[in-house]
Amino acid sequence: MQMAKADRATAIVLLALGLAMVVGGWTMDRLEIRQIHPASIPGLLPMILGGLLSLCAVLLWRASSGSSGPGNARLMTGGSWARLGLTTGLCIVYALGLIGTLSYFWATAIFTFAFSLTFSFPVDGTPRARGISVASCAVLAFGVAFGSALLFEELFLVRLP
Amino acid sequence: MSGLTDLFAGLVTLSTPEMLFHAAWATLLGIIVGSLPGLTATMGVALMTTLTYSLDSTAAILVLICMYVGAIYGGSRSAILLNIPGTPASAATSLDGYPLAKAGRAGYAMGLATAGSALGTVAGIVMLVMIAPPLAEAALNFGSFEFFWLAVFGVIISGQLTADTTPLKGYIAGILGLMVAMIGSEGIHAHIRFSFGISDLNAGIALIPAMVGAFGFAEVMTAMWNRAGELATQKDKSDRTLPHLIDLWRYKVTIVRSGIIGTLVGIIPGVGEDIGAWASYAAARKTSKEADRFGHGSQEGLMAAETGNSAVVPGSLIPAITLAIPGSASSAVLIAALFIHGIRPGPLIMIEQPHFIGLVSAMLLMATLFMAIFGLTLTRVFIQVLRVPYAYLMPVVFVLCVIGTYALSQRMFDIWVMVFFGLVGFVLRQMKYPMAPLVLGIILGDLLDKSLRRGLTLSDGDLLPFFTRPVSATFVAVIALSILANIPAVRRGVASLLGRIGGRHA
């Protein structure tokens, strides 16, 4: 995707957010019942920020309409989508799925093992190389799970999730 | 003189085996974190904050400062050896450091970088001791009107100077940060805003989970997305890491100038080490006798960049301690950490804890000492550290992001916040939105909100005092000028006006 196109899409999202903020600030409780000074209503700054964001969104849209300069640069080039997708997926499954469902130790061990093995497994390697890779990932996984659990639970007295 | 006395008193306080031990391991860890591309100083300080809850306040702050100093310096390792800056602060370092490494002088380049960083930090410490106390005293006269403009100034300037492409994206990032700060209970009437019935949002979005997400999770994704670099293949034939004194003496003007530029850049809210390095580098190139060698292995260029970025660290602590306004993203985390440990940064610091600035200066000095020792003696160890595969490193970093965030208040909600900010931070970064104004917005939102409404209440709704009080008027003028300077039509108009005046005089 080109930067200009992405900027235009972002401008729409930001405009919607800005206007929502203005409406949110305007409709916010003005605490008349507490007889506060009218200039100190809680919605004042949200309204101003919403207005400013809307203005910036319009300026961003206008700036991205030009056809030259950085607007022509392509976004997200030079990296690996597969690696990014796998990383994001594994991290989200761990943080939002495994943690809280399994005990911290097992959640962390499974995540670390899966992450390290996914990105280090020698697909074209010899059976010995594959075995070493699996074993090192398992050692890392249990080491990280045990070490971090010990550190936070015993030393920092955190009740682990 | 009292500043120096406090500095010596601070050094005495820190001269216990326990404190020396904390300073040593934290600086070493900082160098390792900084040297690994994908792990930045801000991320290191944010993660370390979660690991120092249980330490007493002096030890915790010492650890965080040592991590900060170490990480900014550590970035030079990968910049020199891999041509990939370990942290954005070392981008300018790679321009001359990598060519030196390729020419077989990696060891000497790292020695020069070490000397530059150490001297830069010392220059910054001197200015911290000199500037911070009078600034804190001057800030005691600030009222709501001044603090309102100070917060606006911070977000605007940070947005302007940290944006890669257009300042507009910096402003947007700053406004988004301020909007995040609007969530939860507000500071004047305790009214809960934008919680949407979610009780976890009543207290607002905590800075640490947001920063661990934006600088931790987002960086894990960025590191895995990017391809890994290759080590400079040629071995270091010079086999010398200790810089020649004659070289340091030859570049004395560059060192002093870069130290001052770096510190001044650090004082500007939200403008971090990368800008300090680039500004120092540009100034050195402009005045250098060997300007043509810049970018091709210039020792002076390397010294300027490293002195400049390291001087930002003490510089960024000046507004952080005296005004509670961070000079850089890492110092924003430090402010949050200070609050966690019961220290209230701001103008009252000189009254509540008059020796604190001296103590922080002593911590910086101690970090500099260990940085120099490790930097000059462990060169080859750091080369090995750079060989650790991301496949093993990144899951460990993410585990720390998760458990560190959770440990803050032991609730799952903070982990969700961290993941949210990680995903949003990654997308925003790819679209060239700077993260520093966003962070600054989150930390300054409360100050901005309270100062605006308090000011309006004091003036009975009159806007005039916001513009007529001397300090406020100065801030307004600077803000207006800096925004106007970015409007192309205004710039063209000023240029043609200046051209006409010049022509008339000629």
Side-chain angles (χ1 to χ4, degrees):
Chain A
M1 188 190 254
Q2 280 189 331
M3 183 69 92
K5 212 171 173 183
D7 281 348
R8 279 198 289 275
T10 316
I12 294 170
V13 175
L14 294 176
L15 183 66
L17 184 63
L19 294 176
M21 199 79 176
V22 173
V23 173
W26 181 258
T27 53
M28 197 175 282
D29 193 342
R30 298 189 182 181
L31 306 177
E32 283 109 341
I33 201 159
R34 286 203 238 163
Q35 295 182 324
I36 64 164
H37 193 287
S40 71
I41 54 167
L44 181 64
L45 190 60
M47 274 191 282
I48 297 173
L49 292 177
L52 286 173
L53 189 68
S54 306
L55 175 69
C56 286
V58 172
L59 293 174
L60 185 66
W61 177 280
R62 280 192 54 183
S64 63
S65 302
S67 57
S68 62
N72 277 337
R74 290 194 72 79
L75 275 177
M76 305 282 291
T77 51
S80 160
W81 281 100
R83 285 163 65 94
L84 177 66
L86 282 168
T87 303
T88 312
L90 284 164
C91 290
I92 289 178
V93 166
Y94 169 61
L96 306 184
L98 294 180
I99 290 280
T101 310
L102 297 177
S103 73
Y104 171 78
F105 178 87
W106 285 109
T108 302
I110 290 170
F111 164 72
T112 311
F113 181 73
F115 193 110
S116 52
L117 194 66
T118 304
F119 293 108
S120 68
F121 188 70
V123 180
D124 303 323
T126 59
R128 183 182 147 76
R130 289 178 181 185
I132 290 173
S133 171
V134 172
S136 356
C137 292
V139 169
L140 178 76
F142 282 102
V144 170
F146 181 73
S148 61
L150 191 73
L151 184 71
F152 279 89
E153 195 161 36
E154 300 300 325
L155 205 64
F156 302 153
L157 306 176
V158 172
R159 195 164 34 83
L160 293 176
Chain B
M1 275 311 282
S2 77
L4 278 181
T5 316
D6 286 345
L7 173 64
F8 286 121
L11 280 173
V12 172
T13 308
L14 298 177
S15 298
T16 63
E18 186 198 345
M19 293 298 173
L20 288 169
F21 171 70
H22 283 313
W25 72 259
T27 311
L28 184 61
L29 191 62
I31 299 173
I32 292 171
V33 165
S35 67
L36 291 163
L39 306 187
T40 63
T42 310
M43 176 185 172
V45 178
L47 281 182
M48 194 47 72
T49 302
T50 65
L51 294 172
T52 50
Y53 297 143
S54 57
L55 290 179
D56 76 84
S57 61
T58 307
I61 295 160
L62 174 68
V63 165
L64 296 177
I65 285 179
C66 288
M67 162 63 74
Y68 187 11
V69 171
I72 292 300
Y73 160 70
S76 66
R77 309 276 108 173
S78 47
I80 292 168
L81 294 167
L82 289 171
N83 200 22
I84 299 175
T87 64
S90 301
T93 306
S94 61
L95 290 185
D96 289 299
Y98 189 65
L100 278 169
K102 283 189 83 173
R105 303 189 64 205
Y108 196 64
M110 285 192 271
L112 279 178
T114 308
S117 292
L119 293 169
T121 316
V122 170
I125 293 169
V126 172
M127 289 180 75
L128 169 69
V129 172
M130 281 164 52
I131 296 174
L135 184 64
E137 275 176 39
L140 279 173
N141 298 319
F142 282 16
S144 298
F145 308 104
E146 286 79 13
F147 273 112
F148 169 76
W149 286 117
L150 191 61
V152 175
F153 172 78
V155 174
I156 295 279
I157 296 294
S158 169
Q160 197 150 311
L161 295 183
T162 56
D164 247 7
T165 48
T166 158
L168 188 60
K169 292 193 173 180
Y171 301 153
I172 290 173
I175 295 171
L176 288 175
L178 291 170
M179 281 180 161
V180 170
M182 294 299 104
I183 298 170
S185 175
E186 47 95 11
I188 292 189
H189 306 300
H191 180 71
I192 293 165
R193 299 184 288 204
F194 304 115
S195 70
F196 307 105
I198 302 166
S199 59
D200 282 317
L201 282 175
N202 288 356
I205 302 286
L207 184 72
I208 298 290
M211 291 205 60
V212 170
F215 288 91
F217 183 26
E219 277 166 22
V220 169
M221 283 193 281
T222 309
M224 295 309 290
W225 157 260
N226 290 329
R227 299 184 195 289
E230 284 174 19
L231 278 167
T233 46
Q234 295 195 37
K235 288 219 166 142
D236 176 18
K237 290 173 193 140
S238 68
D239 202 30
R240 178 190 174 96
T241 51
L242 207 62
H244 295 288
L245 281 177
I246 187 97
D247 277 342
L248 300 182
W249 184 249
R250 196 188 315 153
Y251 302 129
K252 58 186 181 295
V253 178
T254 306
I255 291 168
V256 172
R257 186 182 48 229
S258 304
I260 293 171
I261 291 174
T263 312
L264 294 179
V265 168
I267 294 173
I268 301 171
V271 181
E273 299 79 14
D274 46 343
I275 310 279
W278 284 117
S280 308
Y281 188 82
R285 186 178 199 164
K286 214 170 183 177
T287 54
S288 174
K289 288 176 195 153
E290 49 176 77
D292 54 316
R293 290 189 59 198
F294 274 58
H296 305 286
S298 159
Q299 294 184 6
E300 189 177 0
L302 178 65
M303 287 292 285
E306 275 303 300
T307 310
N309 68 21
S310 290
V312 171
V313 177
S316 73
L317 294 178
I318 295 173
I321 295 171
T322 57
L323 303 170
I325 291 183
S328 66
S330 303
S331 62
V333 191
L334 271 173
I335 290 179
L338 290 178
F339 278 116
I340 289 170
H341 289 285
I343 293 160
R344 203 155 57 108
L348 289 175
I349 194 89
M350 288 303 287
I351 295 168
E352 291 176 350
Q353 286 175 301
H355 307 300
F356 186 68
I357 292 169
L359 186 65
V360 168
S361 308
M363 289 174 181
L364 285 163
L365 211 56
M366 199 174 259
T368 310
L369 178 73
F370 281 107
M371 175 188 85
I373 294 171
F374 293 137
L376 294 174
T377 56
L378 300 179
T379 305
R380 276 153 194 81
V381 175
F382 292 127
I383 294 175
Q384 296 307 316
V385 169
L386 291 177
R387 295 203 165 103
V388 176
Y390 279 2
Y392 295 149
L393 184 69
M394 290 305 159
V396 182
V397 172
F398 189 68
V399 165
L400 287 176
C401 288
V402 171
I403 189 62
T405 301
Y406 176 83
L408 182 66
S409 36
Q410 305 190 20
R411 54 179 192 164
M412 291 297 291
F413 179 73
D414 286 334
I415 298 180
W416 304 343
V417 169
M418 184 274 292
V419 170
F420 174 80
F421 273 86
L423 295 172
V424 172
F426 177 77
V427 173
L428 288 179
R429 255 180 226 214
Q430 294 299 322
M431 294 176 67
K432 308 288 180 203
Y433 287 87
M435 287 293 104
L438 183 94
V439 170
L440 206 65
I442 298 176
I443 209 162
L444 292 183
D446 185 49
L447 179 73
L448 186 75
D449 185 36
K450 281 199 284 200
S451 304
L452 172 67
R453 292 189 292 144
R454 264 191 203 139
L456 283 172
T457 307
L458 286 171
S459 65
D460 200 17
D462 186 6
L463 283 171
L464 214 58
F466 280 92
F467 298 93
T468 50
R469 289 166 62 106
V471 178
S472 295
T474 313
F475 275 128
V476 173
V478 174
I479 292 165
L481 280 175
S482 58
I483 293 176
L484 286 174
N486 278 298
I487 299 173
V490 175
R491 260 208 316 255
R492 279 196 299 272
V494 171
S496 84
L497 189 70
L498 288 175
R500 257 182 285 164
I501 292 169
R504 207 176 297 156
H505 282 291

